[in-house]
Amino acid sequence: MSTAPTGNARRMIAVALLVPVIAALALWAFAWPAARTAPRDLPLGVAGPAAATAQVEKQLTQHEGAFELHHYKDEAAARDAIEDRTVYGAVVVTADGPRLLTASAASPVVAQLLQQAVAEQAAADGAQVRTVDVVAAPAADPRGAALNASVLPLALAGMAAGAVVTFSGLRGTRAVLVLVGASALVGVAAAGVADSWLGVITGGWWAQAGVFGLSALAVSGAVAGLAALLGTAGVGIVAGVIMLFGNPWSGAASAPQMLPEPAGAIGQWLPPGASATLTRSVAYFDGAAATGPALTLAWWAALGLGAVLLGSALKDRRKNAEPRVTERELARVG
């Protein structure tokens, strides 16, 4: 009796059940952070004498868990902290009333949130808040939409490069050279579009090209590296992680501290989140706080390329071992 119909039925049932599970997982990964967007330990500065800022700090702490307050002696110190990306903004207490310092380049969403929160508190006290944008987003991209939109294409370019290298049969040093070369060209092309054409990037052209290229290499290296170790299934695994978690948890649309935990932290460990953070640092803050995300991308790239070389070496070892095993077996038979 043939078991083929039974096997086909099982596969059909498995596929029918798997598709809605994947759809539910994707909806959760994308919708959960969006539905729970709110400040969580968002770094915010308070500047001025301790006696003068006590009331402001008390009001801000009423938003339980929303802000991580940093105290600065004056406005100049608060501005330096914003430019160093230590805080997203600062409330400066002056004799003329509170002044809010923001950095829309760090996150237009956070800048708007701070304006609303501080303005509401000031209105309750009968005061008005003056807002100063210390590091403004570029005029060509005031809402950060272009930067947010760049995260997915860079990830897709990296996945495509890694998949092409894998399915074309390139291995070892040749695969590494192709991945590095393709990522460098992606970086140049991306900088040409974002800077030279659209004007949404204001940092150094070659520095930004390097960031884009490293972002693509982190993904392409991971795809090709895992595929070299696990086979073509590695392409799907990395692509699934990047698409389901890396993209929606990147914090590019708002900020990592605006996402529910652990999505905010995990997103910064994945290439899309590290890429978005590094892009902001290099493009708008002269490289401030760039070390962490740069190291994250470098580790992804290094481990991925190392896996490519390791996978090639393991395959060569297996191929070299097979003839020797066969010869020994033949000698025993003889």
Side-chain angles (χ1 to χ4, degrees), residues 160-183:
V164 168
V165 166
T166 298
F167 293 119
S168 64
L170 290 173
R171 298 193 294 116
T173 304
R174 290 183 178 179
V176 169
L177 291 175
V178 170
L179 290 170
V180 172
S183 298

Side-chain angles (χ1 to χ4, degrees), residues 203-250:
W205 197 95
W206 286 108
Q208 199 57 62
V211 171
F212 291 145
L214 181 59
S215 301
L217 183 61
V219 177
S220 64
V223 169
L226 197 60
L229 296 177
L230 302 182
T232 54
V235 176
I237 293 173
V238 176
V241 171
I242 295 298
M243 293 300 296
L244 288 179
F245 305 108
N247 189 50
W249 295 3
S250 67

Side-chain angles (χ1 to χ4, degrees), residues 268-294:
Q268 294 304 296
W269 300 339
L270 298 174
S275 173
T277 301
L278 184 59
T279 298
R280 290 189 189 278
S281 292
V282 173
Y284 311 131
F285 292 88
D286 295 327
T291 302

Side-chain angles (χ1 to χ4, degrees), residues 9-250:
R10 288 177 179 175
R11 284 193 292 270
M12 291 173 62
I13 294 173
V15 172
L17 294 176
L18 184 60
V19 170
V21 169
I22 294 175
L25 178 61
L27 285 172
W28 169 77
F30 279 81
W32 173 53
R36 298 291 186 269
T37 299
R40 295 170 176 83
D41 292 327
L42 186 77
L44 177 64
V46 178
T53 60
Q55 182 62 26
V56 173
E57 293 182 7
K58 181 180 179 180
Q59 292 174 338
L60 291 173
T61 54
Q62 290 177 357
H63 302 276
E64 186 175 355
F67 301 110
E68 178 187 275
L69 298 182
H70 298 248
H71 190 272
Y72 301 100
K73 63 179 181 179
D74 54 28
E75 181 175 341
R79 284 176 174 267
D80 290 341
I82 293 172
E83 293 171 353
D84 291 338
R85 302 206 71 184
T86 303
V87 294
Y88 281 89
V91 180
V92 182
V93 180
T94 68
D96 299 329
R99 181 183 299 120
L100 175 63
L101 307 181
T102 64
S104 58
S107 172
V109 172
V110 171
Q112 184 177 10
L113 180 146
L114 293 177
Q115 290 179 36
Q116 293 174 349
V118 176
E120 289 177 0
Q121 293 178 354
D125 296 334
Q128 291 185 342
V129 179
R130 292 170 295 167
T131 301
V132 179
D133 200 347
V134 177
V135 185
D141 188 26
R143 296 180 179 84
L147 187 145
N148 180 34
S150 70
V151 173
L152 182 57
L154 287 173
L156 290 175
M159 286 187 283
V164 168
V165 166
T166 298
F167 293 119
S168 64
L170 290 173
R171 298 193 294 116
T173 304
R174 290 183 178 179
V176 169
L177 291 175
V178 170
L179 290 170
V180 172
S183 298
L185 292 176
V186 168
V188 171
V193 172
D195 188 326
S196 303
W197 179 27
L198 299 178
V200 297
I201 299 297
T202 59
W205 197 95
W206 286 108
Q208 199 57 62
V211 171
F212 291 145
L214 181 59
S215 301
L217 183 61
V219 177
S220 64
V223 169
L226 197 60
L229 296 177
L230 302 182
T232 54
V235 176
I237 293 173
V238 176
V241 171
I242 295 298
M243 293 300 296
L244 288 179
F245 305 108
N247 189 50
W249 295 3
S250 67

